[in-house]
Amino acid sequence: EALARNQAVDEAIALLTRKLPAGHEPADAESDHLEFAGRLETQIVPTARPSPAAARQARESGLGAAQLSALRPHLVNLSCGKFSSEGEYKSTAGDVDAIFNQHLPAWLNQLPEGEKLRLLFYAHGGLVSESEGLKIAHKHVGWWKENGVYPIYFVWETGLFETLGSLLSRCRSRAARALARDVRDLWDHTTDPLIEEAVRALQAPRIWAGMKRSAEIAAAPEGGARYVAARLSEFCAKYGDRVELHACGHSAGSIFHAHFLPAALDHRVPDFKSLHFLAPAIRVDTFLEMLLPRIGKGRGVDSLSLFTMHRDYERDDNCAGIYRKSLLYLIYEALEDERKTDILGLEISLRADPALADLLGLGPDPALAAGEVIWSVSAADAGRSASTSESHGGFDDDAPTMNSVARRVLGREDADAIVEYTGEGSRAPIDWQDQVDWPGVLRRVSANNAPNSAPASAPPLPATVACSRRALCVGIDRYPPGNELSGCVADARLWADTLSTLGFETPVLLLDGEASRAAILDRLGALLAESVAGDVLAFQFSGHGTQLPDLNGDEDDNLDEALCPVDFAAGAFLIDDDIAELFARIPPGVNVTCFMDCCHSGSNTRFVGGGTARPREADARPRFIKATAAMISAHQDFRKTSGAGRALRRGGAEAMSEVSFSACQPQEVAWESGGHGAFSLRATQVLRSELAGISNQEFAERVISAFGDKPAQHVYLDCASAAKSAALLAPLPPLR
């Protein structure tokens, strides 16, 4: 409908969909693309083309002879699936022979005794030119080697956007006058539909298919990747279990590996220990057919790690300022043969397929997953599960992403040292102008450069949205022996990730040994001290709860409810009085919302003081510790020496400034199973759905509904009456 309203678009589409003379239909092969572009260009608007020499000059990587020579032991350059015999960097079968006959044995011989040769095969996105592929390898190879990993990079050039840009330039030159009449309306309201319709009319799906065909040819009997697989098989047969294989693919590199990995496994190479996809552009059905049956221990690929953006970041990305969403959405909407073809890197596609959900731990039983998805932007910016790229093209230069992949390849935990990748401005959004060899015409028609159009910016926040959104997320699994849990750390990470998608600053995480009583109080107190009217704070806790004798006479049932920090055995419980004292200092106009996933938590920010039927899951366990005589004695001693626990004047629920969602009613038990708390899993799922304007009461009801007809626990909402109808995670109305 938007396109139909714009005469300029109508003219352009009519022009571009005109039939070509017989015999001028291009084949799918990559080699036909530029020839096709030239023919179409001649038929529509005669325009001088740059010479091949000038085009090559414009794409040069800037790497000197010494730098290219240093990369040769780590590069395989392919064009249309075959060894590249022209351009800036040439590869031959002899070069591959040298890698396996000379360079790899030399690397293996210098390793410490007993250490495996970790061999990583990397495939960059299929939309970049040879020069960009060389620059990517140059950025990565030295860093991998410093970490003790031997990388082999496939540089596979396709020229997709050079061809697409040439075709789009015809559209723009023909419709320039019409565009000038209403350019603001075009760019503001019809940019994405225009590009989606235009690229289909320009036969871009055929060009995209040609790029995929390049990956297929590479793994075919005469392809360059097939030759690498054969030589790899011979090398592994010679050196046996001294070799450990890994693979990583960015964007369309996932398509490349969907052909290379099966080819290598068909040559009887050892199983790949890990596979890592960064914003994968492969179709879901292709992945399910070609790779899913091979993922899992003993099946060819032990594990899969998938790094990609949450849907909101995908929709906030752009392709050179021309298409106002990520490349994956352009593929999803326009580049495949059928519109809305599911793509592996899109959250909407991942969550829609049950097989993918089971594989990646998004289904009902995460413990059975052979893979994991790491959502960007993650709550953490370091460790095995960190990613902070905010653009499709940025993952391969995002330091947290690359360091996470390295830790997984090396088998290192979060606290273990590695040589850190620093990237080049990896925390800033990546400019597609630098990631892809976009032709000059596409740079010129960028929406940001359109006449009379202002630079794109986020819409202003409504007056009801907080000035600042911050959170503290706590998860403790490693309690003293006999009290261990298994889903609390995962809960805290899940909450932090979920809150990040809702506009919160990167939440503070306190996990396991970090989550002492003092640390929790300090971090929570700091959040309060830094807050001003209009701010929204969230406090989440997953761990054990308990009940202790009331020492100051302020409880009707003579029991204090308590959270169990990691150091609770020393008497360092976090009782209701501690939290009530802290929350008494909430600045006016600041909303503090609590999500408490522990037992007897029904009123543990204001606090009053059971059990219910056990869930059906075999691994279900309660998040409750029964206070022993030793624990009570330690608690009493701690309170005497610390001076904590004075009686507080309570005003009841109506005096509360905070909103508290608890995992269960005061008389119930909070359960965990399958690697997560039952409340946390359901509450975060509800939070990730469309929640615009939902009230606190409605949120509680939706989470209760998510437990089904016969729940083992019921969410408990504790807050002032007025807050129940207030918007979730928004400032509370001022008290009267």
Side-chain angles (χ1 to χ4, degrees), residues 654-683:
E654 295 310 311
M656 292 177 65
S657 297
E658 73 273 16
V659 174
S660 179
F661 295 98
S662 299
C664 58
Q665 298 285 329
Q667 73 278 9
E668 293 180 332
V669 174
W671 295 93
E672 72 170 23
S673 62
H676 277 291
F679 166 68
S680 290
L681 190 61
R682 289 162 176 81

Side-chain angles (χ1 to χ4, degrees), residues 540-617:
Q540 174 269 327
F541 178 88
S542 287
H544 277 307
T546 191
Q547 289 181 316
L548 297 164
D550 175 26
L551 301 181
N552 59 14
D554 65 337
E555 299 287 357
D556 294 336
D557 60 359
N558 297 316
L559 291 173
D560 275 324
E561 304 216 11
L563 307 180
C564 297
V566 72
D567 55 345
F568 78 89
F573 292 93
L574 197 57
I575 67 172
D576 47 15
D577 296 313
D578 300 328
I579 300 180
E581 180 179 1
L582 191 64
F583 284 175
R585 305 199 301 266
I586 296 176
V590 173
N591 173 29
V592 177
T593 302
C594 302
F595 303 96
M596 316 298 284
D597 200 344
C598 56
C599 282
H600 299 282
S601 60
S603 55
N604 61 3
T605 69
R606 185 172 53 85
F607 286 99
V608 291
T612 57
R614 181 187 180 95
R616 291 191 295 266
E617 291 85 353

Side-chain angles (χ1 to χ4, degrees), residues 59 105 149 180 208 334 419 431 470 472 514 593 624:
R59 294 194 299 270
V149 177
W208 177 253
V419 178
D431 186 351
R470 299 189 304 281
L472 171 63
E514 303 170 334
T593 302
F624 175 71

